[in-house]
């Protein structure tokens, strides 16, 4: 049976937005698994994600304080229908990212990360898929705020889609 996934990072609530837009909350509530790659900013947002998600995987980011760091790991891994995922907030500069991440996450098929607020979807020479969903609240120099949706089906990651977020 296919699993619907949401990849999100750099929410920065309440610093960049008072709350997430309705589109984002609806996606979170309907997903089978939600990945949050850090920079939550306040533990109240983690509480809300836990309440609204069927299954939540999260890591802390560089803007997350002691309470979030107590509750979340710096990296996490999981396997969904045979697809091996790893997640971390920061991967360093874009140049050399694929090779660096291959060395750091040799067992992963997919690495979800954040930090830059820049959507990223590449595949390393070994076949590691690197995904950064951007930010749903702070687009920085990007044309729009974003997150990603995907499907895991029959042992493969399929239908990865960058979703543009418009304010409610």
């Amino acid at each position: 049976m296919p699993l619907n996934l949401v990849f999100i990072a750099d929410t920065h609530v309440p610093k960049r937005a008072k709350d997430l837009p309705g589109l984002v909350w609806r996606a979170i509530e309907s997903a089978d698994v939600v990945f949050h790659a850090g920079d939550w900013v306040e533990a109240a947002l983690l509480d809300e994600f836990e309440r609204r998600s069927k299954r939540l995987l999260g890591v802390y980011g560089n803007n997350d304080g002691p309470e979030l760091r107590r509750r979340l790991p710096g990296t996490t891994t999981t396997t969904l229908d045979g697809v091996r995922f790893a997640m971390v907030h920061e991967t360093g500069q874009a140049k050399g990212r694929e090779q660096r991440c291959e060395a750091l996450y040799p067992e992963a098929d997919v690495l979800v990360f954040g930090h830059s607020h820049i959507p990223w979807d590449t595949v390393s020479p070994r076949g590691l898929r690197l995904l950064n969903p951007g930010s749903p609240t702070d687009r920085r120099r990007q044309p729009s705020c974003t997150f990603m949706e995907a499907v895991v089906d029959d042992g493969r990651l399929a239908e990865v889609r960058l979703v543009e977020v418009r304010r409610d």
Side-chain angles (χ1 to χ4, degrees):
M1 182 144 167
L3 290 172
N4 294 308
L5 313 179
V6 165
F7 304 127
I8 192 167
D10 299 291
T11 45
H12 293 272
V13 170
K15 294 192 176 195
R16 298 287 187 246
K18 288 182 169 80
D19 196 4
L20 297 180
L23 168 73
V24 177
W25 282 125
R26 287 188 295 278
I28 288 165
E29 290 166 349
S30 66
D32 296 305
V33 185
V34 176
F35 291 72
H36 191 302
D39 275 3
W40 309 73
V41 177
E42 287 196 357
L45 184 64
L46 172 57
D47 295 337
E48 192 66 14
F49 265 75
E50 289 174 337
R51 191 176 75 70
R52 293 184 183 217
S53 303
K54 292 177 186 134
R55 180 175 176 197
L56 174 64
L57 297 165
V59 296
Y60 65 77
N62 61 297
N63 284 292
D64 296 329
E67 183 177 354
L68 286 161
R69 288 171 188 250
R70 271 193 306 276
R71 293 175 61 185
L72 296 165
T75 62
T76 193
T77 61
T78 193
T79 301
L80 302 172
D81 191 20
V83 180
R84 300 167 302 174
F85 290 87
M87 183 168 50
V88 66
H89 181 63
E90 195 169 344
T91 60
Q93 67 179 345
K95 183 178 170 72
R97 178 176 285 146
E98 287 79 8
Q99 292 76 12
R100 203 169 45 252
C101 290
E102 274 185 345
L104 291 169
Y105 304 96
E107 301 299 317
D109 300 310
V110 179
L111 175 65
V112 180
F113 68 99
H115 187 62
S116 68
H117 299 214
I118 299 170
W120 188 277
D121 184 353
T122 59
V123 179
S124 74
R126 180 188 63 77
L128 174 66
R129 183 97 178 249
L130 291 95
L131 299 173
N132 182 330
S135 170
T137 59
D138 184 13
R139 65 183 179 89
R140 290 193 181 162
R141 295 170 304 278
Q142 301 306 301
S144 61
C145 293
T146 58
F147 69 97
M148 287 179 172
E149 294 180 321
V151 174
V152 169
D153 191 16
D154 198 26
R156 67 183 184 85
L157 182 66
E159 301 177 37
V160 176
R161 183 170 70 94
L162 187 66
V163 180
E164 289 188 15
V165 177
R166 296 198 171 33
R167 294 278 174 210
D168 292 336

